[in-house]
Amino acid sequence: MAPSMLKLSRPLMLVGHIILLVTALSIIAPLILVLGTSFKPANEIYGGLPWPRKFTLQNYYDVFEKLPFGRYLWNSLATTTLRVGGQLLIALFAAYAFARYNFPGRGLLFALVLGAMMIPPQLTFLPIYLLINKLGWFDTWAGLIVPNLAMPLAVFLLRQHLLAFPKELYDAAAMDGANELRILWSVVLPNIKPVMAALTVVLFVDCWNEYFWPLVITETDHAMTVQIGIRRFLDAERGDDLGPLMAAVTLISLPALAVFFACQRQIIQTFVSVGIKG
Amino acid sequence: MATIHFSQVCKTFGEVTAVDRLDLTIADGEFTVFVGPSGCGKTTSLRMLAGLDEVTSGRIFIDERDVTHEQPKARDMAMVFQNYALYPHMTVAENIGFALKLRRLGRAEVAEQVSRAAEMLDIAHLLQRRPKELSGGQRQRVAVCRAIVRNPKVFLFDEPLSNLDPQLRTSARGEIRALQRRLGVTSVYVTHDQIEAMTMADRIVIMRDGKVQQIGTPVEIFERPANTFVAGFIGNPPMNILPLAALGKAAGLSPQLAGVDQSETMIGIRPEHVSFVSVSSAATIARVVQIEMIGTECLVHAEIGAERIIARVVRPLAPRIDETVGLAWPDDEIHLFDASSGRRMGQNLRLSA
Amino acid sequence: MTQTLELVATTRIERTAARRKIDLRPAVFLAPFVVLVALFTYWPLIQLVYLSLFKLNRSGPDRFIGADNFLGVLDNAQFHDAAYNSLIYIFLSIPFKVFLPIPLAVFIWTMGAKLGNFYKAALFLPTLLSFVVVSIVWIWMLNPVMGLFQSVIGPLGLQMPSLLSDVASAIYVIIGVGAWKLIGFNILLYLAGLSAISRDYVEAMRLDGAGDWVVLRRLIVPLLSPTILFVAISTVVFTIQQVFTPIDVMTQGGPLNSTTNLFYLVYQYMFESFNVGYSAAGALLIFLLLGLIIAAKMIWFEKLVHYS
Ligand SMILES: Nc1ncnc2c1ncn2[C@@H]1O[C@H](COP(=O)(O)OP(=O)(O)OP(=O)(O)O)[C@@H](O)[C@H]1O
Ligand SMILES: [Mg+2]
């Protein structure tokens, strides 16, 4: 963080601390409560204490007992991994073409990329839904993955980084006898590892947390992801499901939070810079 | 080892003609230098030869084989880039061995060839470093090493020394040339530095605005510049080029110049051939306006009417500023050029005398 | 002789040019992306126009019905509710999500790195949580029978009102939840903007005897205004789109359509009323509206933004 640049007067500073503390607490407290509740036995759930007196994993067993939560997790994990992998690869190819080659129509094509960034996918879900049905991909992994493989934001970001890449290195590699894929894999990729890593995290969290598209395109356990599956605990609306619900909430929030606590600084940085460019 | 042949090669970028009908044959083992001012198309020519840029028209042959549309990989050439273009994420050894690895050579064999090439360039102790941990001179050696390790048919150099300091440049010049002689590999070398061109080349190609001005050995180019551009480009300081008419009666006196249309002719005299004589015996009179010391010699700038001429003389012979002096030069060191086209006229006067 | 040579040279040049290969490499690298974007972004847009203008017919050719769907949607009471709610969502999100974070960001900016980083981390957490999770947690906390707030105020003899099933309050709950999720991220965006402000300006102003308030008003806010514009636009876009999830999880548009918005309505037209034409027409109307909002905001902020 930059060194302090503005010295506020003491009373003002105090007000600031109080407001921030309250805000931070309003965020952290519910999360701690969720975590605590997920470890509580059924008879403690409605007690006032934030933390269990008797620690139990029963709620976590129940999550998998009462619903095919393992299947949801597997669907989420597999489709997210495949989708993010595909997004990165396709975006890298496109960004490479934009940054490396001068071809007729490049400007127009790039304008279309920028334009695609402006079109909310929630506006176009209807024709896509009809198309996916026609293809027989309703309620399948393919239906979840394929319509989302092209990621204009990723192309935009990677292109910017590749434009700063020294062009002579492409030529040197070509002279060394590397073909285009080899140049991309052995020369370009190792030099943009940090961006790729950052982008991977952002895309992963984005996809893992996605709600709208899985809601539209999945129906059964066959393809349902955790974000949709968890609603089943809610629909039940029976009191004794609160424990498993909180356990499920904890489970599905864990991957993103784990990455976050592993490398906090970079993650914040990454999200902010992607947010700013997006 | 290879011969290279450019046939009517052109390259245009939109409106700009970067290379205009280049015709050139380079013999096996020859060291050819492309020289010319910035933007004259040297790099473009080299890149077309390498296969990095597509020609707009014309053909390129290597060993009689038409390679005009072949990929760089198929041409078996190695290139040293101006900024060296070392892969930043690889060690020196990996940089040098990359091409060999791509040819699917075994690990041991790659290591052996890399260390042999590294020995040759005296960089064996740097093999485990990364490019950013090297000095400019070391990087340059690594870049050369990466080129020779593959044992290619042709070496291409694009201003490989321009990022070095002057002393290093002088020694590197000699080393590259010695290495090339030893390996006997046909080489094309691009520079904008005429001294590099003169000292290194078997043959020089002088270009301007995409057009070849003259092709010849350093001696030919120095002694018989094909036009005023070449005459002014080669030599330091450059050749004095004046309208013949400006020399006044001196022109009429010289027997070689009889019969030349004075108003249509430029005369060229190298500064080192200008000497000072007493005013009374001189055909040409000038006034000294400036003197630059450059060591044992100095450059004397003098004005003949509105024209300026530079003489290069040893210090004791230099006149003083504002002095009026007589100028003289050997008749057989005079070059004549057509005033409108700039082209060299007739034979060298030395031969016609 | 020379002429013949030149002729030969020209024909050769022409032949070479004709035989020159077009470089297909960029096309190959771009193909997957371009095909996917065309198929799943631009083609659907065209398709929407078609779906809104034609009545689909399984057993014959589709029937052109002109602007019927648009007129129908515009005349639909649900659509009026949704449009009205969308405006509330947008206008209330400006003070909470766009302006409130500014002073918070400035406070963090003036703090030492250690405390600042703690706050940043805490505020960032909701960005990583899915909106489903956030909605579920809030449903639980607000539950009038077994919720967190009830368990706190219950012992005092108070009863938590059922905020989510009350027409008067439900939409504000959803706005609050949205703010809870987004505030931290917007603070971080502002911090990124603040870090670009040179300390020289601040010091120079201090030397002129300016107090906190003056520095804030006269220096920081003007220099930050491009960031404010950016945050405002992205927040509006985010609000319009992403609020879908809390609506669907917490209220499903109810009670009595009091929380539905345009995006949600378009979804309901399709999956609850099974009215493809209305859904398509609604989507296109939103598209139009979105463009207008962004254009209007740009123009409005253009006057306020100082590019120094
Ligand atoms: N990729 C390109 N696009 C457009 N014009 C180009 C391109 N590359 C070169 N040119 C133009 O072609 C001409 C020749 O360029 P080239 O790089 O061959 O010059 P050069 O002789 O190598 O000069 P320097 O000594 O400055 O390196 C210049 O006018 C240059 O502007
Ligand atoms: Mg060059």
Side-chain angles (χ1 to χ4, degrees), chain B residues 13 16-18 36-45 82 158-159 190 192:
Chain B
F13 294 105
V16 183
T17 302
S38 189
C40 70
K42 311 176 294 277
T43 298
T44 307
S45 308
Q82 178 170 1
D158 190 0
E159 310 206 16
V190 161
H192 60 256

Side-chain angles (χ1 to χ4, degrees), chain A residues 126-181:
Chain A
L126 173 55
I128 302 177
Y129 170 79
L130 298 176
L131 176 64
I132 292 292
N133 268 302
K134 224 176 266 172
L135 291 170
W137 287 351
F138 180 74
D139 201 28
T140 65
W141 285 4
L144 281 170
I145 296 170
V146 177
N148 296 300
L149 280 178
M151 194 72 190
L153 177 62
V155 174
F156 181 74
L157 272 176
L158 288 175
R159 172 184 163 273
Q160 276 198 323
H161 280 267
L162 289 180
L163 284 179
F165 191 77
K167 285 217 186 306
E168 276 194 338
L169 291 184
Y170 300 136
D171 296 334
M175 294 303 294
D176 273 345
N179 60 28
E180 292 302 302
L181 278 180

Side-chain angles (χ1 to χ4, degrees), chain A residues 19 45 47 50 67 71 78 80 87 102 172 175 187 241 246 250 255:
Chain A
I19 297 179
I45 294 242
L67 283 177
R71 177 72 200 186
T80 302
Q87 284 175 330
N102 210 340
M175 294 303 294
V187 177
D241 272 348
M246 291 304 141
T250 309

Side-chain angles (χ1 to χ4, degrees), chain A residues 150-231:
Chain A
M151 194 72 190
L153 177 62
V155 174
F156 181 74
L157 272 176
L158 288 175
R159 172 184 163 273
Q160 276 198 323
H161 280 267
L162 289 180
L163 284 179
F165 191 77
K167 285 217 186 306
E168 276 194 338
L169 291 184
Y170 300 136
D171 296 334
M175 294 303 294
D176 273 345
N179 60 28
E180 292 302 302
L181 278 180
R182 169 63 71 173
I183 292 176
L184 202 52
W185 179 256
S186 297
V187 177
V188 176
L189 206 53
N191 283 299
I192 54 166
K193 259 190 208 154
V195 212
M196 288 300 276
L199 204 55
T200 308
V201 172
V202 173
L203 292 177
F204 201 95
V205 171
D206 190 52
C207 178
W208 181 267
N209 286 346
E210 195 182 25
Y211 180 74
F212 180 75
W213 188 245
L215 181 72
V216 169
I217 215 68
T218 67
E219 192 175 38
T220 66
D221 302 341
H222 180 64
M224 197 176 276
T225 63
V226 283
Q227 304 293 344
I228 312 300
I230 195 174
R231 286 198 49 185

Side-chain angles (χ1 to χ4, degrees), chain C residues 82-104:
Chain C
Y84 176 74
N85 291 341
S86 292
L87 289 180
I88 293 189
Y89 279 120
I90 291 170
F91 281 115
L92 283 186
S93 69
I94 297 288
F96 288 119
K97 299 178 194 166
V98 179
F99 292 139
L100 181 67
I102 298 176
L104 295 182

Side-chain angles (χ1 to χ4, degrees), chain C residues 167-238:
Chain C
V167 175
S169 59
I171 192 171
Y172 302 104
V173 172
I174 291 180
I175 291 171
V177 170
W180 187 83
K181 178 148 167 58
L182 194 64
I183 272 185
F185 189 63
N186 280 351
I187 289 178
L188 292 171
L189 290 180
Y190 282 126
L191 277 170
L194 283 169
S195 68
I197 294 178
S198 159
R199 93 181 295 151
D200 297 350
Y201 293 142
V202 181
E203 277 174 1
M205 227 173 182
R206 285 275 176 211
L207 288 178
D208 290 344
D212 292 339
W213 185 240
V214 176
V215 172
L216 205 65
R217 270 291 307 277
R218 288 286 157 77
L219 185 75
I220 304 216
V221 169
L223 286 181
L224 207 55
S225 46
T227 314
I228 299 176
L229 171 63
F230 171 79
V231 170
I233 292 176
S234 64
T235 299
V236 168
V237 172
F238 176 89

Side-chain angles (χ1 to χ4, degrees), chain B residues 4 34-35 123 128 140 204 239 244 294:
Chain B
I4 297 167
F34 280 58
V35 69
I123 52 170
Q128 292 319 313
Q140 193 267 332
I204 295 179
M239 183 184 284
L244 189 53
I294 55 164

